[in-house]
Amino acid sequence: MLIRRTRGWEIAESKATPEAVMLGRRAMLGGAALAAAAVAGPAQAQLSELFGPSRPPNAMRALSPLSAARNAKYEAGRAITEERQATTYNNYYEFGLSKSVYGAAQALVVEPWTIEIGGMVAKPRKIGFDDLMKQMALEERVYRHRCVETWAMTVPWVGFPLAKLVELCAPTASAKYVTFTTLADKKTMPGLGQRFYPWPYLEGLTLQEATNELAFMVVGMYGKTLPSQNGAPLRVALPWKYGFKSAKSIVKIEFTDKRPTSFWEALQDEEYGFWANVNPKVPHPRWSQATETLLGSDERVPTQIWNGYGEFVAGMYSDKSGEKLFM
Ligand SMILES: Nc1nc2c(c(=O)[nH]1)N[C@H]1C(S)=C(S)[C@@H](COP(=O)(O)O)O[C@H]1N2
Ligand SMILES: [Mo]
């Protein structure tokens, strides 16, 4: 995973009106894109490949209000990140390697959206996103998010417990893991031209983790539907794990009895493992995980084990001491 120091929130164009803002040419083809192209190795895409044959649409996709009562049980213990920062500094490699992919991500087609449910389930099937929404009661949860690259944020997500979705999928008794496959659309996602990445993006959890009360299926943030760059129309939020476990723009949910190999694990298993639980005491092979920078601040604050969610999740790992739980 590259650490790029491009700061999306410093782009003035995005400051005034987050939803309706028209991105200037500087934001689209400015430093971030050129820097991403400049780090290109042999397998990497040309600038044209990164950004597709034509320029991505400039207008930010309109979002709809999506309010839900806040679940007060989950206290983030720190201030909510400014919306502008959480929605302009992203990791969404399908749209490019920089943090400023929010412009390119507007090309994501979110309607209609279908989710395939398969593998070890009573009945494999497809479900439309709208149909799924009708079956789920929404709530708001303010969660901490910690990227393995040491930046962090605090976000009011809107969604429903992942356990509810698992229940709806009805896995068979032999299923032990759930995998999330995310959209890989060459027409709209220039990052797929980076052929050394093992697309599509895939992530997995044990069923115990997926049904833990903290595991959250996200369909909105800041009281609105999810912006494309944050993983519209649905993504997961797993606040005790490094951010890469929280797959975006999910198109397939499968149940299996074999531990899946996730995207980052397939790429570099010595650096990004299956469990990826947050622990300040276990450094990444190339950097310390002891502290983090909150988006919008230059100050570094201490990182907490399990990202501060030990009371909910530590018990799940008491019998797994032989595993690399923190990478
Ligand atoms: N499909 C997909 N999902 C993804 C990623 C990605 O590149 N592609 N990046 C991951 C990483 S590394 C992080 S930190 C979070 C970032 O979520 P955010 O952009 O909403 O902050 O998404 C995760 N989910
Ligand atoms: Mo991340």
Side-chain angles (χ1 to χ4, degrees):
M1 207 171 295
L2 292 172
I3 310 186
R4 300 217 56 82
R5 291 298 175 198
T6 318
R7 291 176 169 177
W9 68 84
E10 289 178 354
I11 295 169
E13 286 87 340
S14 66
K15 220 168 190 166
T17 47
E19 274 93 65
V21 70
M22 299 294 285
L23 298 180
R25 189 173 161 76
R26 182 168 75 89
M28 293 312 314
L29 290 172
L34 293 169
V39 298
Q44 287 207 329
Q46 300 298 310
L47 186 61
S48 60
E49 233 182 309
L50 270 173
F51 286 90
S54 57
R55 283 181 59 200
N58 284 357
M60 299 300 276
R61 186 169 58 78
L63 306 173
S64 310
L66 194 68
S67 56
R70 183 170 297 178
N71 187 334
K73 184 170 180 192
Y74 309 104
E75 263 297 322
R78 66 187 189 201
I80 289 176
T81 301
E82 237 183 90
E83 178 180 358
R84 175 173 56 87
Q85 288 156 356
T87 57
T88 58
Y89 186 92
N90 301 97
N91 267 336
Y92 200 157
Y93 275 53
E94 288 85 337
F95 288 105
L97 303 184
S98 92
K99 296 290 183 268
S100 298
V101 291
Y102 57 94
Q106 303 314 307
L108 182 74
V109 180
V110 297
E111 266 176 296
W113 193 272
T114 308
I115 304 131
E116 201 183 318
I117 299 167
M120 295 177 156
V121 289
K123 194 166 145 251
R125 61 188 174 121
K126 288 184 173 156
I127 184 166
F129 178 72
D130 295 340
D131 190 12
L132 177 66
M133 286 291 273
K134 281 185 207 130
Q135 299 181 51
M136 296 294 163
L138 299 181
E139 59 185 274
E140 184 181 71
R141 293 190 186 185
V142 181
Y143 275 171
R144 290 188 290 277
H145 173 101
R146 171 60 156 80
C147 176
V148 72
E149 298 165 335
T150 79
W151 56 269
M153 59 182 182
T154 313
V155 177
W157 302 112
V158 178
F160 49 87
L162 180 52
K164 292 279 178 209
L165 182 58
V166 170
E167 192 185 313
L168 182 121
C169 295
T172 61
S174 37
K176 291 192 176 65
Y177 300 90
V178 58
T179 69
F180 303 99
T181 305
T182 87
L183 183 71
D185 175 29
K186 283 213 170 73
K187 291 192 295 295
T188 51
M189 297 173 143
L192 299 187
Q194 311 266 324
R195 278 179 284 272
F196 63 89
Y197 284 108
W199 311 111
Y201 199 98
L202 184 142
E203 260 307 337
L205 298 170
T206 64
L207 271 192
Q208 188 190 24
E209 291 176 319
T211 54
N212 181 279
E213 66 171 277
L214 277 188
F216 202 48
M217 203 71 204
V218 169
V219 295
M221 65 197 291
Y222 297 92
K224 282 162 282 189
T225 49
L226 211 48
S228 298
Q229 62 273 27
N230 295 91
L234 85 163
R235 54 99 50 93
V236 257
L238 307 161
W240 72 102
K241 289 182 179 284
Y242 290 117
F244 67 85
K245 296 294 294 181
S246 296
K248 291 176 165 179
S249 307
I250 294 163
V251 291
K252 202 196 277 181
I253 300 173
E254 286 173 296
F255 294 84
T256 151
D257 57 1
K258 289 185 190 64
R259 189 196 286 188
T261 304
S262 56
F263 176 85
W264 286 106
E265 194 183 3
L267 199 67
Q268 261 166 314
D269 64 346
E270 286 304 308
E271 302 196 350
Y272 309 104
F274 172 77
W275 299 102
N277 296 304
V278 175
N279 188 339
K281 294 213 169 84
V282 180
H284 181 277
R286 290 184 282 131
W287 59 82
S288 163
Q289 294 290 24
T291 61
E292 62 203 45
T293 307
L294 301 176
L295 293 190
S297 151
D298 282 334
E299 203 190 324
R300 294 197 74 84
V301 299
T303 288
Q304 301 174 61
I305 185 159
W306 314 107
N307 202 20
Y309 293 99
E311 63 172 300
F312 300 104
V313 299
M316 292 194 288
Y317 305 100
S318 52
D319 61 340
K320 295 186 175 61
S321 53
E323 300 271 346
K324 288 181 174 174
L325 290 172
F326 304 106
M327 62 155 275

